Amino acid sequence: MEVRVISTTPFDDQKPGTSGLRKKVATFQQPHYLENFVQAIFDTQTALTGGTLVLGGDGRFYNRTAIQIILRMAAANGVARVLVGQGGILSTPAASCIIRKYQTQGGIILSASHNPGGPDEDFGIKFNIDAGGPAPESVTNALYARTQRIDRYRIVDADPIDLDQIGESRLGELVVQVIDAVADYADLMASLFDFDAIRQLFNAGRFRMRFDAMHAVTGPYAVEILEHRLGAESGTVINGVPLEDFGGGHPDPNLVHAHALVELTSGAQGLDFGAASDGDGDRNMVLGRDFFVTPSDSLAVLAANAPLTPGYKNGISGIARSMPTSQAADRVAEALGVECFETPTGWKFFGNLLDAGRITLCGEESFGTGSDHVREKDGLWAVLFWLNLLAVKRQSVADIVRAHWRRFGRNYYTRHDYEGIDSAAAEGLVNHLHILLPSLPGQQLGDFKVAFADDFAYTDPIDGSVAAHQGIRIGFENGARIVLRLSGTGTQGATLRLYIEQYEADSARHDRPVQEALAPLILIARELAQIEARTGRTQPDVIT
Ligand code: G16
């Protein structure tokens, strides 16, 4: 099979963001655009030559086209074997599971996660290393550097591979193995959680739940695990068929985009449990009847109750959370006497801690929770963890969380997103805060006295690598915090994220509406950052 060497020139916008390269589909459809990035992966990840690559995506528009291109390039670059999910489908956590289980040299995941899909929407690509996790910055920096010098890529001409038929075929020397996308992952879940107890919970007949797959990748996983293996009634999984445009929806499991599920859990007749996952299956939202569990609280509750599940029955070695995530988990770590780490936003920063065994659980405010079972956050894993707790404790979601607050106190928490704002205005706002930071410590702002104010920098405790400029933190003497940062996953303009947190020890004050409880701090943050003056926005687009 003849290898063609195609001349090309660099694109200057191929720097991976928080989680890989995410752009509009039209950007990826430009001649050579995808090919340049993929060749940069093969040029820098030399272990793939003669090695095995895992390949799959969240099923969004352009997924199948991109897979065929990558297969032809893998053949031309001497990859020995590619494991592709059936239909081109692999959820992000399933891809991580397969990379680890079959000890491959890495994986390429095609996804723009929670961003909308379709010809006019978003596409994305990221490389995961042999440990199964997102490439660390050393790898993405090398990859980006390569894209800036690239002058040729290698590809073979071949007919499309049938992605729907499980089995092996060949592209020259390359073996393409189409695998069951669900089985390995479902087996892993069965090894971690008490499936018998969860089955009994469903069998008892009183427990009512829905899992909203949002027409994204988790549909087949959730149907297999919840309905087939655990015996939940048929129809428990809603929007379970993956669609190239996610049915026109926004596959982001939060209170705004999964509002239909929120309604199903509302009122006296509401469901006992509602859960949703995102485009590529790594995020999760957990709801009880009339009750939203913040992702920060979810991490803390799972950590506090981990020994109730078979997979974590011996306890946990430590916990990590991203910097903007609330400090609820820190209190659990302290009570358990285990280490707690604060990392920058981005799952890749958990990888070294997980590999070194320093942490077992980790999570982020951005609807991500996970553990050392894979190296990605894992939406269905979190849902099964909650189901295991519900099955063992026989309490409602709300009762479990309220009991947690009584024991540890409540970290009131909210995130306000200002989406698609002018990039220059966003940069101006951040620069303005940088100038302000040194003068803030010691200042009294309303009822709050500033204890520290900085731009978060992280030194990885395992390899000593430093990640600077990871977000503005303003900490107060009572433990409250204001955090501001710009999103690294958007594809249009800039998204400003404002995170607000305040601790409340008094259980008599645990049932206040969140936005009301945090109103004074929100006002302080808006004024300090001059949000309205600089962005023209009076209200955030999304509040979670
Ligand atoms: C990605 C990363 C997460 C991060 C999130 C939000 O999630 O994997 O670690 O917390 O983006 O990032 P940002 O605030 O920069 O938009 P996902 O689910 O999009 O892959």
Side-chain angles (χ1 to χ4, degrees):
M1 187 167 269
E2 192 200 342
V3 173
R4 291 203 292 139
V5 179
I6 311 284
S7 294
T8 187
T9 50
F11 293 88
D12 61 11
D13 63 347
Q14 296 203 321
K15 190 170 177 54
T18 309
S19 183
L21 186 67
R22 292 184 190 169
K23 301 283 176 196
K24 291 288 170 208
V25 167
T27 303
F28 275 101
Q29 286 172 325
Q30 297 173 85
H32 311 317
Y33 192 89
L34 174 70
E35 291 86 344
N36 277 14
F37 194 80
V38 173
Q39 187 63 50
I41 295 176
F42 289 130
D43 286 348
T44 54
Q45 306 309 304
T46 48
L48 290 171
T49 309
T52 301
L53 175 77
V54 172
L55 179 60
D58 63 12
R60 69 179 58 226
F61 182 82
Y62 205 56
N63 192 48
R64 284 174 177 263
T65 310
I67 285 177
Q68 298 293 350
I69 292 171
I70 295 167
L71 286 174
R72 287 162 49 215
M73 290 185 68
N77 280 280
V79 177
R81 178 179 287 264
V82 180
L83 306 179
V84 197
Q86 188 178 18
I89 291 281
L90 278 181
S91 79
T92 290
S96 184
C97 158
I98 290 164
I99 292 169
R100 292 169 67 76
K101 182 167 178 177
Y102 298 104
Q103 299 182 351
T104 75
Q105 281 64 49
I108 294 178
I109 302 177
L110 303 168
S111 169
S113 187
H114 52 287
N115 297 6
D120 299 325
E121 298 294 353
D122 292 354
F123 189 73
I125 177 169
K126 68 171 181 165
F127 178 70
N128 278 33
I129 57 173
D130 57 0
E137 295 214 312
S138 55
V139 172
T140 53
N141 288 342
L143 223 160
Y144 175 58
R146 181 66 200 138
T147 65
Q148 296 311 289
R149 286 195 310 274
I150 200 146
D151 58 3
R152 52 99 194 103
Y153 62 83
R154 298 159 70 83
I155 192 162
V156 300
D157 286 327
D159 290 334
I161 293 280
D162 181 354
L163 298 176
D164 297 303
Q165 230 23 55
I166 287 180
E168 285 187 7
S169 51
R170 275 183 177 271
L171 267 182
E173 297 292 299
L174 171 70
V175 177
V176 179
Q177 186 179 348
V178 176
I179 58 171
D180 183 321
V182 176
D184 292 309
Y185 176 82
D187 291 347
L188 178 60
M189 293 301 111
S191 75
L192 295 173
F193 300 112
D194 188 343
F195 272 30
D196 287 337
I198 301 173
R199 215 174 281 119
Q200 278 170 29
L201 179 72
F202 287 133
N203 278 346
R206 282 186 300 276
F207 179 78
R208 293 161 58 233
M209 83 163 275
R210 291 287 178 271
F211 176 90
D212 189 351
M214 304 188 90
H215 286 305
V217 79
T218 32
Y221 297 86
V223 168
E224 168 63 15
I225 295 172
L226 296 174
E227 297 186 7
H228 297 165
R229 297 201 185 191
L230 290 168
E233 64 175 339
S234 163
T236 295
V237 178
I238 57 175
N239 302 319
V241 178
L243 298 175
E244 286 198 330
D245 65 349
F246 308 117
H250 194 142
D252 194 357
N254 62 34
L255 296 174
V256 174
H257 298 306
H259 61 89
L261 185 71
V262 177
E263 276 159 33
L264 288 176
T265 54
S266 302
Q269 299 307 314
L271 301 169
D272 301 292
F273 186 60
S277 192
D278 70 329
D280 62 332
D282 56 3
R283 295 184 174 209
N284 74 90
M285 178 172 72
V286 167
L287 301 166
R289 183 178 305 131
D290 288 324
F291 199 90
F292 164 59
V293 185
T294 69
S296 299
D297 276 345
S298 183
L299 173 65
V301 169
L302 299 187
N305 293 287
L308 296 178
T309 64
Y312 307 94
K313 66 174 186 296
N314 296 326
I316 58 176
S317 62
I319 310 173
R321 61 163 174 83
S322 67
M323 182 273 282
T325 304
S326 99
Q327 299 161 97
D330 305 31
R331 298 177 186 282
V332 177
E334 197 185 343
L336 295 176
V338 299
E339 285 191 292
C340 186
F341 299 88
E342 182 177 48
T343 59
T345 293
W347 206 262
K348 59 192 169 202
F349 292 104
F350 295 135
N352 279 347
L353 294 167
L354 290 163
D355 288 347
R358 295 279 287 272
I359 58 170
T360 307
L361 298 185
C362 42
E364 296 186 282
E365 50 67 37
S366 55
F367 294 84
T369 338
S371 87
D372 57 1
H373 68 291
V374 291
R375 292 295 181 273
E376 288 279 5
K377 57 186 185 275
D378 190 342
L380 255 178
W381 169 91
V383 174
L384 291 165
F385 205 136
W386 268 97
L387 282 170
N388 198 148
L389 297 189
L390 293 168
V392 173
K393 285 179 166 270
R394 297 285 166 156
Q395 284 175 293
S396 70
V397 170
D399 286 347
I400 290 175
V401 178
R402 288 208 178 93
H404 184 92
W405 291 339
R406 279 196 297 279
R407 180 171 169 207
F408 294 98
R410 177 174 184 185
N411 288 71
Y412 277 103
Y413 186 82
T414 190
R415 182 177 107 182
H416 289 196
D417 293 337
Y418 297 82
E419 294 178 344
I421 58 178
D422 178 67
S423 298
E427 269 171 43
L429 185 150
V430 172
N431 290 339
H432 152 73
L433 283 169
H434 274 145
I435 294 166
L436 213 62
L437 285 178
S439 66
L440 288 178
Q443 272 196 43
Q444 186 76 31
L445 303 173
D447 291 338
F448 301 86
K449 188 162 185 192
V450 180
F452 68 90
D454 64 7
D455 187 350
F456 180 57
Y458 176 69
T459 303
D460 186 298
I462 311 300
D463 66 13
S465 59
V466 176
H469 307 299
Q470 298 297 317
I472 307 277
R473 300 189 298 182
I474 301 166
F476 298 92
E477 286 187 349
N478 62 0
R481 289 194 312 165
I482 292 171
V483 172
L484 291 113
R485 56 179 285 281
L486 299 180
S487 159
T489 57
T491 58
Q492 249 174 351
T495 292
L496 173 69
R497 302 206 196 284
L498 167 64
Y499 314 81
I500 306 279
E501 171 183 14
Q502 189 175 348
Y503 180 67
E504 177 60 72
D506 180 1
S507 58
R509 295 170 59 82
H510 282 169
D511 279 324
R512 301 173 66 200
V514 176
Q515 300 305 315
E516 185 187 306
L518 296 175
L521 265 181
I522 293 169
L523 196 64
I524 291 169
R526 283 186 186 168
E527 284 175 0
L528 264 187
Q530 302 178 343
I531 291 180
E532 186 173 345
R534 289 178 176 276
T535 69
R537 301 289 177 84
T538 52
Q539 289 301 324
D541 299 281
V542 177
I543 295 181
T544 46

